[in-house]
Amino acid sequence: MGKKVKKESETPCKETFEPLPVEGKTPATVVLLLSCPEEDILVKACEAIHTFAEKGDENKVSLLGLGALEPLCQLITHNNKLIRRNAFMALGIMATNGDIKSALKKIDVIPSIIDKLSLEEDIVVHDFATLCLASLSVDFACKVKISDNNGLPPLIQLLSSPDPDVKKNSLEIIFNLVQDHQSRLALHELGGIPPLLELLKSDFPVIQHLALKTLQNVTTDTDTCNTFREEQGFEKLMDILSNMDFHDLHAEALQVVANCLSDSKSLQVIHKGGGLTRLMEFVLTPNLPEIQSNAVKCIARVAQSSENRKLLHEQNVEKVLVELLSVADISVKTATCQAVSIMSFHLASKDNGIPAVVQLLNNESLKLKEAATQALSNLTHGNQLNAFAAYEAGGDKILVQQLYGSCRRTVANSADALGNMAGQEVIRCSILSHGAIQALVEPLQSTDTQVLINTTLCLTVLACDTEARAELQSAGGLHPLVNLLRSYHKEVLHHACLAINVCASDVNAAVEMCQFGALEMLQEINLSVNRRSRFSELAMISLLNFNLSVKYSLTSHLASTDIISDGFYDAGKVRYVLLKLMCNRGHLKECELIYKYKKKLLSNLQTFEIKKNKKDDKQKNETRAESPTEKPWKMMDDVSLQLLVNEAKKTILPLSDEREQCAALARLVSEAMGGAVEMEKLHEFPWVLHLSELKFQLQSNVVPIGLISRGIYCHRALLFKCLADCIGMSCTLERGEYSQAWNEVLLFNGNPSMNERSSQPYRYIVDLMHQPGSLLTANTPAAVQYQTI
């Protein structure tokens, strides 16, 4: 066998080619060269792509399609500085295109870019790296990525770069970042305010504008404002505002000033440097609406403090503001309304331009309407003269119209202003004549908290008028008002309760609110530790006052001012308002429900419309289809009660001494109810059997009180209260446990005929059962024993 011959191709070559010039005439070829290991070729390929991309967006998109983006993102971290620089130049130019920005978001390139922002890096790299980040930082996700990768510190350092493009790009990125609150705080903590202020001196307007816009954002924070003042920020801004060569910067500079003028220290700095005088000059500068409106905003910010308002008042600022209400520009008028609104809190302010503010309500601008209604709301708050001035200017009519508006702030402000004005009767009548009640119904259904608060407050003032309550009911306003009791917002709930309290003074309105579930909701609220308040308790008492029967069932108490009238009944003690006891002027609608919760005598003072008993109800349900117009059974008149009333008027009223009257009435009640019963023989008293016989005779659970001739504590106390109310004698009705009840009276000690009377009355419990006519001093053992037997 012959020897194997080694192939030529397998022979290792120790020599290399001489450098060859590489020419790529097509973008595709150049993009392929980005993957070449030869550094010289990479330098030239990146440079060629940069040049090609500079020629327009079409070329940038073409490079994207050829796959240039990913290799460029890798090359920006290359060890070769020249390759790195050229790759950044190409990437930075390409990133200005929208399609490429979208593609870059999918590549995790931001950490690599931030890593090359160190001061040791080439300025050209800084230039195009920041250009790339500036393009990406408009996107929220990219902003988060920049912040998370600690991009803010090197960007703040680059604000002091000698290259204006680096400054501009870095500033643009920072401006985008500080739209977020956390980034604003971070900028301040990292010492970003001094370099921002230094950029105000830049020779490049674009940098100055960006610096001012960034300061506008960051100075919304109090600590930043303090640093701004400490770093002579006001002085630097006043240099700009005093130089007419910088007139294009004045509007933005004034916005920064406005942010920092809410505290008195800042105002003192401005005032000492002649800044307040300069601000007033800007306010009075015609034909420059943006500057004028921003200057007025500064005035409004200054006026936030009472000390500052006094200073502005001394500068006669109110007169200037009134004049500005008549200018043509909407933004100026809107800012002026806001300033007028705040200056109205200065008590010495007289010239407030109310007629001009009222006229602004006719403008089509929603922002201006909002500002004008806010001004009227503040101007009329606790100020009757201003309220009358607004009325004389026709403000009440226009404000009512604003309640139908789409802007929630305007609706809330209008309702507040109307409520302020309605305290004066002549204005209230005018407001009502313009249909205010109907206009308030829709805002009652708003989901905006301030709208609800102001609307219910306004309604509370207007509803003190009888016709207004009737109109609210007919307009369907009671239902949404009652629904507000479901609110867990403290202020909304309080004001809803106040409005219900006022509306409940009308019996028909009270009945309807109860039908909508107001009592049930109020009782639930009053059982809640977190929701109950004196307002909810007041609303419930007001609703109960229209129906003393329900009040007594729920509270077990009738005050001396609660006068029993025809139709009152005692349903027994009820803890919850589940029984739907809504009675319409003495007509009991659901007796069987009452009986279900308390199998006890129902005492009635007059005729009732009632179903006979549960058996009759069953029969009625079975025959309802056959006799749908069946008339309810009518109970007999309580003739016996009327005889007792006549007897009380005849025998008790002539007595001159209150004690004698009380004792005589107690004896009359006792005699009518079976006489005195010894405490030891109380168990032998046949009151239960007697009542059962009466219910059987009447075929009803409701028994007229006058028919009871064997009555226990609860029946005697009820009769005593009824007769006392009929003859004008003051007493309460109190329910205890089981069948216990008693009456309390207030009496003076001593002989009135001898001018011997105690300085204050004493409380007594009237004995109606064991020693009728005896007065037991409240809280003594004898009284307590009577109450707890």
Side-chain angles (χ1 to χ4, degrees), residues 402-444:
Q402 302 308 312
L403 295 175
Y404 292 101
S406 59
C407 176
R408 291 179 295 181
R409 295 298 90 202
T410 300
V411 173
N413 295 338
S414 300
D416 190 51
L418 287 168
N420 295 338
M421 296 167 66
Q424 300 180 56
E425 185 176 1
V426 63
I427 304 178
R428 181 169 65 252
C429 293
S430 179
I431 291 171
L432 291 171
S433 71
H434 296 309
I437 295 296
Q438 180 68 55
L440 286 169
V441 173
E442 185 175 343
L444 280 176

Side-chain angles (χ1 to χ4, degrees), residues 352-539:
N352 46 41
I354 287 178
V357 175
V358 169
Q359 290 308 308
L360 295 179
L361 296 177
N362 293 313
N363 197 282
E364 293 182 359
S365 169
L366 294 179
K367 285 188 176 182
L368 180 53
K369 283 184 179 180
E370 179 183 342
T373 53
Q374 180 66 66
L376 288 174
S377 171
N378 287 356
L379 286 165
T380 57
H381 181 74
N383 193 316
Q384 293 191 7
L385 291 176
N386 284 353
F388 199 79
Y391 160 69
E392 287 188 317
D396 57 322
K397 181 178 180 179
I398 306 176
L399 284 168
V400 170
Q401 294 169 355
Q402 302 308 312
L403 295 175
Y404 292 101
S406 59
C407 176
R408 291 179 295 181
R409 295 298 90 202
T410 300
V411 173
N413 295 338
S414 300
D416 190 51
L418 287 168
N420 295 338
M421 296 167 66
Q424 300 180 56
E425 185 176 1
V426 63
I427 304 178
R428 181 169 65 252
C429 293
S430 179
I431 291 171
L432 291 171
S433 71
H434 296 309
I437 295 296
Q438 180 68 55
L440 286 169
V441 173
E442 185 175 343
L444 280 176
Q445 304 170 64
S446 174
T447 56
D448 184 88
T449 299
Q450 199 59 50
V451 170
L452 293 175
I453 292 171
N454 292 0
T455 300
T456 48
L457 272 175
C458 181
L459 194 61
T460 300
V461 181
L462 294 177
C464 65
D465 182 270
T466 304
E467 293 181 1
R469 294 193 294 271
E471 186 180 349
L472 180 66
Q473 186 177 1
S474 62
L478 292 179
H479 199 180
L481 176 59
V482 170
N483 282 340
L484 293 181
L485 294 177
R486 305 179 192 278
S487 174
Y488 280 82
H489 189 282
K490 188 175 182 179
E491 230 179 323
V492 171
L493 186 57
H494 287 181
H495 293 312
C497 288
L498 284 174
I500 287 172
N501 171 59
V502 173
C503 292
S505 59
D506 181 87
V507 174
N508 292 328
V511 169
E512 184 167 317
M513 286 190 288
C514 289
Q515 290 171 344
F516 291 136
L519 269 180
E520 289 93 332
M521 286 187 271
L522 281 169
Q523 191 176 34
E524 181 183 340
I525 290 167
N526 288 332
L527 289 173
S528 168
V529 176
N530 296 324
R531 300 183 70 206
R532 71 184 177 203
S533 66
R534 58 190 178 91
F535 304 108
S536 60
E537 292 169 356
L538 180 64

Side-chain angles (χ1 to χ4, degrees), residues 157-172:
Q157 287 185 326
L158 291 179
L159 293 179
S160 303
S161 171
D163 186 275
D165 286 330
V166 175
K167 289 180 180 177
K168 180 258 182 189
N169 295 339
S170 301
L171 194 50
E172 191 172 342

